[in-house]
Each structure stands twice: as C-alpha cells, then as structure tokens.
C-alpha cells in the first residue's frame, strides 16, 4: 500500500521513516524493475532471518559462533549482497559481481 504510514511509533529517524513511508515507496516505485526485484528479495530475506532472533535476548550476545555468524549475515551480509547486486543490475559493476555472494559475509 503506497499510502501506508505508522504514526507515533519509534524515535528519531525510525519514527520519521514510518510516518513518511509514502515518500520511500514513491522512490522505490520509480526504480527500474531489476532494482526493485533485488530490494524486494533482500528485504524479505533480511526480515525473515531477523525474525529468528526476535524472541532471543541478545543483550549478552549470541549462544555460539554459528548463531553469531547467522545473525551477522541477516543484519549486514545481506546488505552487502544487496548492494553488490544493485551495482550489477544498474550497470555500475560487471554482471559477474552479482554472483560473488561469498564476499558479502567476509
């Protein structure tokens, strides 16, 4: 829904993003289809992955190194993957960069 907003939730920039979401949606809608596909895929995978950690108390960190690596992949690795894929589909980088997914988790 391009007119969706959420008023009075969060603080600072987070709150502003939720309250002014239609602006964000209009920028997204104006992007080329290939870029929108990358953003949709990455945000879906990021949200799904981070949902695994919603009910966990991460105040003391993760349980073990494999959980730490998994968490880092969802909150940072997918950002790197998404940027690499966006650069690739935009023509700013070689198409082969989109396949170098191992680089995003280094």
């Amino acid at each position: 829904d391009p007119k969706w907003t959420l008023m009075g939730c969060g603080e600072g920039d987070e709150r502003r993003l939720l309250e002014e979401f239609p602006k964000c949606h209009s920028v997204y809608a104006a992007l080329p289809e290939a870029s929108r596909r990358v953003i949709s895929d990455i945000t879906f995978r990021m949200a799904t992955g981070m949902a695994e950690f919603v009910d966990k108390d991460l105040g003391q960190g993760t349980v073990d190194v494999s959980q730490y690596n998994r968490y880092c992949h969802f909150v940072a690795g997918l950002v790197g993957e998404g940027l690499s894929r966006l650069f690739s589909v935009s023509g700013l980088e070689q198409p082969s960069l989109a396949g170098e997914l191992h680089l995003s988790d280094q």
Side-chain angles (χ1 to χ4, degrees):
D1 177 4
K3 295 182 181 181
W4 178 89
T5 62
L6 181 60
M7 306 304 281
C9 183
E11 297 177 13
D13 289 336
E14 176 185 288
R15 181 180 187 138
R16 184 173 168 213
L17 172 64
L18 296 171
E19 292 179 354
E20 298 183 17
F21 189 77
K23 291 179 184 178
C24 185
H25 185 276
S26 67
V27 170
Y28 172 81
L31 292 171
E33 175 61 28
S35 296
R36 291 195 313 268
R37 275 195 307 271
V38 170
I39 293 168
S40 291
D41 175 56
I42 292 297
T43 54
F44 176 80
R45 290 169 50 206
M46 187 180 291
T48 302
M50 291 174 71
E52 291 180 21
F53 296 89
V54 166
D55 63 346
K56 296 179 180 171
D57 178 9
L58 297 178
Q60 300 302 314
T62 53
V63 176
D64 56 34
V65 172
S66 67
Q67 282 296 300
Y68 174 77
N69 288 339
R70 187 164 178 78
Y71 179 78
C72 288
H73 171 73
F74 293 131
V75 301
L78 288 175
V79 173
E81 177 183 332
L83 289 172
S84 295
R85 289 173 53 197
L86 283 171
F87 293 148
S88 179
V89 300
S90 73
L92 294 172
E93 287 290 346
Q94 297 295 319
S96 62
L97 182 65
E100 300 290 335
L101 302 181
H102 66 282
L103 297 174
S104 63
D105 285 324
Q106 299 299 315

